[in-house]
Amino acid sequence: MSSEVLQLDGVSRTYGAGATAVAALRNVNLTIHAGEFVAVMGPSGSGKSSLLTLAGGLDRATGGEVFVEGTPLGGLSINELARLRRRAVGYVFQDFNLVPTLTAAENVALPRELDGIPARKARRQANDALRLVGIEDLADRFMDQMSGGQQQRVAIARAIVGNRRLILADEPTGALDSATGDGILEVLRGRTEAGAAVVLVTHEARHAGWADRVVFLKDGRIVDEAASQHDPSVLLTGRAH
Amino acid sequence: MSIRHSLLALLQEGPRYGYQLRGEFEERTGSTWPLNIGQVYTTLDRLERDGLVEKEGDDGEGHVVYTITDAGRTEVTDWFAQPVAATNPPRNELAIKLALALTLDGVDVAAVVQAQRTASMRQLQDYTRQRRAAATSADAAPAAQGGPKANDAAWLLVLDSLIFTAEAEVRWLDHCEGWMAQRAVRAGKQRTAVAERQAAEHPAAAAAGTRAVSK
């Protein structure tokens, strides 16, 4: 399997036509590999959310092509696109988007069951996913019995259940206090170390600091990118151990 | 940074010589602000002159050992009790650079902002990576050895301070960019309004002006 989990190849997205056309993304090139954590930053209206919806196959590019695990999304029918999303792509939102009348495990199992997986197997996969985000002991809790941080962990478990390798997170720490937010970033970081690719849209520089690469968007274009130094010996403060 | 008070505070734990003080200072602050040994001894001389430390003699290996006096202990207590004075903002090269870029012709301020933001972001990523590694190693300290050490916690706290400072810089740069964009829009609207008013008041002159420009 290719290590390229997500590839945007000259992607544009224009809303409307003629004189009133608005370009949300203009000729964006971006490749994200397995095990990579990429943050997308930029002012309001810079195209961050458009990038995420195109990457997740929730919207279609008006130019260029989006590839998820090597599959070009442009040629897929609506049903094929939905199937690919369920198999490969997990979304995490600021407001969690969990079903309040279901338990944590039921919320996580739901996308698997919708995909035709037998209930017991789906439940087993849900428990695995909950264990990976550190809350397997809360599997039978309802949402109103959980803190915001715990609910966001359920949402991440739902995003990764069934070994989906592309996690798209839209301001996932926005509703959480600073320490709880760091816990969520730690979970996302841990998923990349297990081989997933994570795209985090955020306006918080400190959260983007968790990423391997930070992409800056402006007016629908990538204007710059900051890549972290991977070699610990060249880090700025030389603490002796 | 008060080296004077830092060394005095460390001497509260017991008599030390210069190299020991430097080692302990750097251990607790992750070598973020390295001290040279000359600085340490100069500071110790001044502390002795001011009656805050005394020479206790030799440790047998040729190191001069210093001990804190009662006046020194009072000085340390006062230091911790007083907030750090921030009456004079520290000189900030970035703020100075942007202020000049904004007021001089021919400087691409947006490019200055973006270049700095990328550099600050990279620094933030590196600090975050180090913070995570330090937290992991502190958590992994075996309980048999007393678990995480106070010095590990001190180092995490210093890293957090660097992280929040770098974050503040990126946020400030975001703010500068947004503010400049709004200002450019306002200036554009004002120019349009002035042109329209002139056209309304002096249609012939405005038309002549347009013709003059179009020539």
Side-chain angles (χ1 to χ4, degrees), chain B residues 15-152:
Chain B
R16 302 275 192 276
Y17 56 84
Y19 278 96
Q20 279 177 323
L21 286 170
R22 182 175 76 163
E24 292 200 16
F25 176 82
E26 294 189 352
E27 170 70 18
R28 288 167 208 231
T29 55
S31 304
T32 310
W33 300 281
L35 290 182
N36 77 51
I37 194 65
Q39 238 175 335
V40 173
Y41 279 110
T42 311
T43 307
L44 285 169
D45 284 345
R46 289 195 190 132
L47 288 169
E48 188 186 20
R49 181 198 65 198
D50 297 343
L52 302 175
V53 305
E54 288 169 353
K55 284 200 182 98
E56 205 189 60
D58 194 291
D59 70 343
E61 293 178 18
H63 300 121
V64 180
V65 175
Y66 290 83
T67 187
I68 192 167
T69 64
D70 286 344
R73 287 181 196 282
T74 306
E75 179 88 8
V76 173
T77 307
D78 287 349
W79 183 52
F80 280 123
Q82 298 295 325
V84 173
T87 42
N88 292 319
R91 190 175 294 177
N92 180 332
E93 187 187 341
L94 177 57
I96 294 168
K97 191 195 270 193
L98 274 190
L100 291 178
L102 200 62
T103 46
L104 294 173
D105 284 340
V107 182
D108 184 346
V109 188
V112 174
V113 167
Q114 184 54 47
Q116 184 63 46
R117 182 163 41 206
T118 302
S120 304
M121 193 67 232
R122 194 171 293 134
Q123 200 168 46
L124 186 50
Q125 287 171 282
D126 291 340
Y127 289 146
T128 304
R129 185 179 290 274
Q130 279 181 291
R131 169 75 171 75
R132 192 166 174 256
T136 308
S137 84
D139 287 347
Q145 291 170 20
K149 304 251 185 338
N151 285 1
D152 287 337

Side-chain angles (χ1 to χ4, degrees), chain A residues 93-98 104 107 130 133-135 137-139 141-156 172-173 175-177 179-181 183-184:
Chain A
F93 302 93
Q94 178 173 340
D95 49 3
F96 322 138
N97 285 356
L98 297 163
N107 262 289
L130 288 169
V133 300
I135 52 165
D137 51 335
L138 304 180
R141 293 257 185 105
F142 289 94
M143 295 311 111
D144 60 2
Q145 301 168 316
M146 302 179 96
S147 69
Q150 290 167 340
Q151 290 185 53
Q152 194 57 297
R153 282 171 193 253
V154 175
I156 295 172
T173 52
L176 305 173
D177 66 62
T180 310
I184 293 304

Side-chain angles (χ1 to χ4, degrees), chain A residues 6 8 50-59 66 68 73 81 84-85 89-91 166 168:
Chain A
L6 174 67
L8 272 63
S50 293
L51 188 151
L52 213 60
T53 51
L54 288 170
L58 294 173
D59 187 17
V66 178
V68 173
L73 304 192
L81 203 54
L84 179 121
R85 278 204 304 269
V89 185
Y91 260 98
L166 177 58
L168 305 173

Side-chain angles (χ1 to χ4, degrees), chain A residues 108-142:
Chain A
V108 177
L110 187 62
R112 303 305 287 153
E113 291 186 46
L114 289 176
D115 220 10
I117 307 278
R120 278 177 64 179
K121 187 177 178 191
R123 176 63 194 251
R124 200 166 57 241
Q125 291 180 346
N127 285 337
D128 287 345
L130 288 169
R131 184 171 44 73
L132 291 173
V133 300
I135 52 165
E136 66 270 42
D137 51 335
L138 304 180
D140 296 325
R141 293 257 185 105
F142 289 94

